[in-house]
Amino acid sequence: MDHPPELRLLLALLAPLLGAGLVMATGRRPNLREGCSLLAAVTLFALTASLIPDVLAGRGPRYVMFEWLPGLRIALRADAMSLLFAVTASFLWVLTVFYSAGYMRGLREHAQTRFNTCFALALFGAMGCAFADNLLTLYLFYEVVSISTYPLVAHHQDAESYEGGRKYLVYLTATAKGLVLPAMVLIYVLTGSLDFAHDIRGGILPAGLSHGVVAGLYVACLLGFAKNGVMPLHHWLPGAMVAPTPVSALLHAVAVVKVGVFATTRVMLYVFGVDLLNAANLGLPTAWFVSVTILFASVVALSKDNLKARLAYSTVSQLSYVILGVALLTPAAIQGGLVHIANHAFSKITLFFCAGAIYVATHKKNISELGGLGRAMPFTFGAFALASLSMIGAPPVGGFVSKWYLLVGAQDARALGIVVVLLLSTLLNAAYFVPVVYQAFFGRPPARAGGDYASADSRLAEAPLAMVIPLSLTAVISVVLGFYPELFMRFVREVLP
């Protein structure tokens, strides 16, 4: 693209917002409506990808939208960490448009125009977070994501979905307003600016600041960005599983939780900085704190028979790998944590895509009901198996790269206990994923009267192609990321000083 990079940066932010408007305008013509969603998604990905050469050449663009007060402005910037998140989310939105059309039409879901509109608005918020140049911009778009995804969580409009939506909104908005907002005000008072630092070393807080004050601000940000799923502020995430499966994919892979860990790590690296976190001795305690989430959420996942619930607690556990890696403050660990944003996204969206395909084809939700379905749905369960390997951290899938760097980083930090946590979590990951795959391919169909679908396990009965093709692509990409980790690692290396 020949347009100035600053203009492309602004257009990348606005593309999903304009897409939401087009979806609303064409709501009565379903094919045109989905076409508008696809056009917005492809445009967003193209604009985001066009920024890669500028960023890798050290010419990352910045764009000031408007300024309220000195040091308080809504501004955008594209750097390597921005693109790690933005490229991943925008590409996955393209595939999710196809998948959502197959899912929503296959189940004849109501309010599909509202669904597609809110989906686009959520991506608008996610892009705003990805390209935020300062803490104020990050905070405002973080709230946009929370508000725009509430109608998606409460989509079914029954008592269960309203309860899940209420918990979702209360947790996320209360923590942001009660913790992040006061911390942001104090940071502005202390520094006169909320702009992110230019590198991850120094941060923006003044030298000589009391370590007690630093710790208080840090904890407020760590817990206030509750989309990161860190316990004990994680309960909104399993409750949000009442939403349609494409929404679950959005929550767990594309936008919501990735906004949480992106915001958390962005603030850790570009507001506090590696040097200050080391000096205040906040790194290793944070790693131990999130290790509790990694292990306990995995144990809870083992107890869940509902497939989406098991995947939800898996997400709670896996998100903390990102924070743990950054908290270890060693180059290898930071690389492992940040690249897990992308590796987890492709693998986890595959798993949720598979869960949705299983439901559309069979109306089954529980793992105990999946016996023999692998023979009837080989593409779906083959993709599930590949994505499970990535979640476990087994080669040659992308998740192996993340865990390898995390293990090396933990050794560099001389944190033997964290090495044990990572190895133990790998065993727990295998314990709750392998039985699902085994049940599907080698288990017996549930005994039922009448010889329904479950007993007819030899017949090919996949979900619609609009669903099977996206989940197959994301599974293949998860493998590609294992063989060619440089696809995203080149962004991560640019983050390091």
Side-chain angles (χ1 to χ4, degrees), residues 127-145:
M127 290 301 107
C129 291
F131 293 126
D133 188 34
N134 54 61
L135 188 53
L136 175 61
T137 306
L138 178 66
Y139 173 81
L140 291 177
F141 281 102
Y142 180 93
E143 294 283 44
V144 168
V145 174

Side-chain angles (χ1 to χ4, degrees), residues 211-222:
H211 286 176
V213 173
V214 172
L217 293 171
Y218 177 77
V219 170
C221 292
L222 178 64

Side-chain angles (χ1 to χ4, degrees), residues 432-493:
Y432 63 72
F433 276 122
V434 171
V436 180
V437 178
Y438 181 87
Q439 175 79 350
F441 284 105
F442 304 105
R444 288 186 176 182
R448 292 183 185 223
D452 63 2
Y453 176 93
S455 62
D457 56 67
S458 61
R459 132 181 102 133
L460 188 65
E462 291 279 4
L465 282 177
M467 302 176 70
V468 174
I469 291 174
L471 66 87
S472 299
L473 283 174
T474 53
V476 169
I477 293 171
S478 293
V479 177
V480 170
L481 292 176
F483 283 102
Y484 300 99
E486 284 299 314
L487 289 173
F488 284 104
M489 194 61 77
R490 57 180 176 167
F491 298 131
V492 174
R493 291 203 174 101

Side-chain angles (χ1 to χ4, degrees), residues 81 102 106 118 120 126 158 177 183 186 188 213 285 297 308 343 405 435 459:
M81 190 169 174
C118 291
D158 54 20
K177 291 179 175 63
L186 185 53
Y188 178 72
V213 173
K308 283 179 66 176
N343 289 336
Y405 275 89
R459 132 181 102 133

Side-chain angles (χ1 to χ4, degrees), residues 307 310-311 347 350-355 358 367 370 378-391 432-437 440-441 471 475:
L307 181 56
R310 183 169 293 194
L311 295 179
S347 303
T350 302
L351 295 171
F352 274 103
F353 278 177
C354 291
I358 294 164
I367 297 165
L370 302 183
F379 290 101
T380 297
F381 281 99
F384 191 99
L386 288 174
S388 296
L389 288 176
S390 183
M391 292 291 94
Y432 63 72
F433 276 122
V434 171
V436 180
V437 178
F441 284 105
L471 66 87

Side-chain angles (χ1 to χ4, degrees), residues 180-437:
V180 178
L181 186 58
M184 187 168 63
V185 171
L186 185 53
I187 290 171
Y188 178 72
V189 170
L190 291 171
T191 66
S193 173
L194 294 175
D195 290 351
F196 292 136
H198 295 291
D199 62 62
I200 67 173
R201 278 287 175 201
I204 65 171
L205 294 176
L209 193 63
S210 163
H211 286 176
V213 173
V214 172
L217 293 171
Y218 177 77
V219 170
C221 292
L222 178 64
L223 297 179
F225 289 117
K227 289 186 180 74
N228 58 28
V230 172
M231 292 182 172
L233 299 174
H234 70 289
H235 293 287
W236 63 270
L237 205 158
M241 289 301 95
V242 297
T245 299
V247 178
S248 301
L250 171 77
L251 291 172
H252 291 256
V254 181
V256 178
V257 297
K258 290 302 183 299
V259 163
V261 292
F262 177 84
T264 304
T265 53
R266 181 66 121 174
V267 170
M268 289 171 69
L269 294 174
Y270 290 90
V271 172
F272 293 92
V274 170
D275 291 342
L276 181 58
L277 292 178
N278 260 322
N281 193 31
L282 292 171
L284 197 56
T286 301
W288 278 111
F289 176 66
V290 298
S291 292
V292 175
T293 299
I294 290 173
L295 296 179
F296 187 70
S298 295
V299 172
V300 176
L302 278 169
S303 69
K304 300 299 180 182
D305 186 43
N306 182 279
L307 181 56
K308 283 179 66 176
R310 183 169 293 194
L311 295 179
Y313 277 99
S314 167
T315 297
V316 173
S317 173
Q318 294 273 334
L319 288 176
S320 285
Y321 285 137
V322 180
I323 300 173
L324 180 143
V326 173
L328 288 173
L329 303 177
T330 61
I334 292 172
Q335 290 179 73
L338 293 182
V339 82
H340 198 58
I341 292 175
N343 289 336
H344 176 266
F346 281 96
S347 303
K348 186 50 65 76
I349 203 170
T350 302
L351 295 171
F352 274 103
F353 278 177
C354 291
I358 294 164
Y359 182 71
V360 167
T362 70
H363 289 280
K364 299 184 187 301
K365 298 180 178 180
N366 296 326
I367 297 165
S368 58
E369 300 174 323
L370 302 183
L373 288 185
R375 297 186 288 276
M377 304 178 70
F379 290 101
T380 297
F381 281 99
F384 191 99
L386 288 174
S388 296
L389 288 176
S390 183
M391 292 291 94
I392 294 168
V397 198
F400 170 73
V401 177
S402 305
K403 285 198 175 179
W404 179 264
Y405 275 89
L406 288 173
L407 284 167
V408 172
Q411 291 177 316
D412 291 343
R414 299 182 180 179
L416 180 60
I418 300 298
V419 173
V420 173
V421 167
L422 291 169
L423 295 176
L424 182 57
S425 73
T426 298
L427 294 176
L428 290 170
N429 296 157
Y432 63 72
F433 276 122
V434 171
V436 180
V437 178

